[in-house]
């Protein structure tokens, strides 16, 4: 059978999650997505009404099928940790089973297992504030939504992820099945990017460090690979909310070794490669998909 992928963080057709879903679907994977609860209604109705049909087109002309959309809030591990005001919030009370533990339980009941986990979500309520002006709550919220959410998703999904199985045939070793996870990070983790505030730079640094430690733990214990893609700037909904995305895109076009605008599809294709057996020896890596901008020391 084809691989099954769960992509957390898809709520429209503009972001990296959508592009990764498309590249995985084009490579033959079955697609399940996790959509942030407050964005669920509009995403599902747009999907139903055909608003995304143009961008569902795959290279062979067929349309990407999303087998199931799960409501998800990756800030909550289980129902016990959800505060009363969220439980009774209108945007949440219309859906159920959206904590990480419940979503994984539902995926298990519906499909039994997955092969690929993609984390394409981030949130920093104080992202527009400099780090020096960030509150403790804002900082912790950024880390919770953007870094710990990956640890939580991976630890809950690992028991139902098909491990990489190595087959030795004659003189060759094949990786028959994959078991891979991918997240999205940003260079603000390691270089100063003024404007990427609120502890989001710290959250990405944590995510990259966790990628290495989780690669060790999930690799040894479950034969699962863990990588992160450090992506260049894209005009997604989340990026527009930060407020400096056009400037970052212009800066990249002017200064990167490859002077072109980065497309979400290029990140999607890199993710499909990293999730595939072609990347069977790559784990614990931060892979730059940014037209090479990270390699520049000064802009010219
Ligand atoms: P996006 O808006 O398409 O994706 C972010 C998603 O996160 C949204 O769908 C949002 O609903 C979801 N989300 C937020 N909080 C959530 C929660 N608590 N539970 C579940 N879902 C939640 O924007 P994007 O830019 O494609 O972001 C995807 C990833 O790519 C993020 O990790 C982001 O930091 C990273 N990234 C983006 C850029 C860029 O320039 N756009 C560059 C590098 C890395």
């Amino acid at each position: 059978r084809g691989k099954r992928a769960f992509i957390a963080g898809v709520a429209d057709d503009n972001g990296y999650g959508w592009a990764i879903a498309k590249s995985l679907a084009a490579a033959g994977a079955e697609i399940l997505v996790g959509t942030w609860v407050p964005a669920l209604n509009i995403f599902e109705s747009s999907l139903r009404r055909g608003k995304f049909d143009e961008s569902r087109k795959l290279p062979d002309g067929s349309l990407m099928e999303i087998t199931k959309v799960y409501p998800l809030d990756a800030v909550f591990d289980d129902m016990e940790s959800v505060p009363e005001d969220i439980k009774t919030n209108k945007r949440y009370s219309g859906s159920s089973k959206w904590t990480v533990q419940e979503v994984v339980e539902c995926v298990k009941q519906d499909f039994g297992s997955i092969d690929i986990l993609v984390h394409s979500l981030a949130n920093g309520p104080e992202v527009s504030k400099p780090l020096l002006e960030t509150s403790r709550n804002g900082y912790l919220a950024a880390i919770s939504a953007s870094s710990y959410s990956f640890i939580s998703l991976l630890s809950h999904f690992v028991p139902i992820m098909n491990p990489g199985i190595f087959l030795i045939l004659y003189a060759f070793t094949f990786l028959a099945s994959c078991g891979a996870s991918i997240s999205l990070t940003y260079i603000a983790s390691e270089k100063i990017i003024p404007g990427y505030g609120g502890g989001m730079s710290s959250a990405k640094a944590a995510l990259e460090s966790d990628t290495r430690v989780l690669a060790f733990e999930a690799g040894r214990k479950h034969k699962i690979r863990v990588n992160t893609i450090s992506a260049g700037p894209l005009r997604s909904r989340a990026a527009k909310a930060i407020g400096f995305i056009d400037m970052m895109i212009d800066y990249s076009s002017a200064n990167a070794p490859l002077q072109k605008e980065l497309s979400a599809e290029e990140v999607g294709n890199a993710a499909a490669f990293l999730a595939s057996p072609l990347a069977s020896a790559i784990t614990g890596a931060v892979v730059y998909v940014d037209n090479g901008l990270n390699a520049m020391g000064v802009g010219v």
Side-chain angles (χ1 to χ4, degrees):
R1 74 165 177 85
K3 309 267 185 256
R4 184 176 298 120
F6 183 91
I7 300 136
V10 180
D12 60 38
D13 59 349
N14 292 320
Y16 282 134
W18 177 270
I20 292 170
K22 275 181 76 175
S23 294
L24 289 171
E30 178 176 18
I31 304 300
L32 314 177
V33 307
T35 300
W36 196 30
V37 189
L40 181 75
N41 276 343
I42 180 141
F43 178 62
E44 283 199 304
S45 66
S46 303
L47 204 56
R48 247 193 332 266
R49 291 204 318 265
K51 215 187 132 206
F52 300 138
D53 283 0
E54 196 49 44
S55 39
R56 279 172 62 209
K57 269 213 185 101
L58 299 177
D60 70 356
S62 67
L63 296 189
M64 167 173 71
E65 287 300 332
I66 297 178
T67 307
K68 192 157 177 181
V69 178
Y70 292 87
L72 168 71
D73 195 322
V75 157
F76 301 111
D77 301 316
D78 50 37
M79 218 45 206
E80 284 84 78
S81 55
V82 181
E84 233 12 76
D85 61 323
I86 297 276
K87 271 186 199 155
T88 53
N89 182 310
K90 256 216 222 112
R91 296 197 296 176
Y92 282 80
S93 54
S95 304
S96 61
K97 303 203 171 148
W98 39 258
T99 66
V100 172
Q101 187 195 50
E102 291 168 301
V103 170
V104 174
E105 196 48 48
C106 291
V107 172
K108 185 181 176 183
Q109 271 168 23
D110 294 341
F111 300 98
S113 66
I114 64 164
D115 304 281
I116 299 160
L117 170 65
V118 179
H119 175 283
S120 181
L121 64 96
N123 200 6
E126 297 182 14
V127 66
S128 50
K129 283 192 190 163
L131 194 53
L132 258 182
E133 290 161 29
T134 297
S135 72
R136 186 180 300 268
N137 279 344
Y139 185 91
L140 294 177
I143 298 271
S144 173
S146 315
S147 319
Y148 190 79
S149 56
F150 179 63
I151 301 180
S152 180
L153 279 164
L154 184 64
S155 66
H156 285 88
F157 266 116
V158 135
I160 65 159
M161 281 180 82
N162 295 318
I165 297 166
F166 299 94
L167 287 182
I168 298 172
L169 256 188
Y170 307 107
F172 302 102
T173 308
F174 294 95
L175 189 75
S177 140
C178 66
S181 62
I182 294 157
S183 66
L184 273 300
T185 186
Y186 185 49
I187 189 128
S189 59
E190 47 177 311
K191 301 272 168 65
I192 303 162
I193 309 281
Y196 198 74
M200 280 305 299
S201 56
S202 332
K204 291 307 191 188
L207 183 66
E208 291 174 23
S209 177
D210 297 345
T211 297
R212 292 181 281 272
V213 177
L214 295 170
F216 169 70
E217 294 178 5
R220 286 290 173 92
K221 218 167 155 201
H222 304 281
K223 297 193 175 71
I224 304 282
R225 296 184 294 108
V226 184
N227 292 297
T228 188
I229 291 176
S230 186
L234 173 76
R235 216 175 272 100
S236 65
R237 191 188 167 95
K240 279 192 278 192
I242 301 172
F244 66 2
I245 188 65
D246 290 318
M247 201 252 288
M248 296 317 287
I249 290 172
D250 291 346
Y251 182 88
S252 180
S253 298
N255 297 296
L258 302 176
Q259 294 191 296
K260 61 179 174 63
E261 191 162 330
L262 180 70
S263 74
E265 188 186 353
E266 291 174 295
V267 170
N269 289 342
F273 158 70
L274 284 174
S276 80
L278 293 174
S280 57
I282 303 178
T283 192
V286 178
V287 177
Y288 296 94
V289 184
D290 66 347
N291 285 324
L293 186 63
N294 73 91
M296 298 298 294
V298 288
V300 281

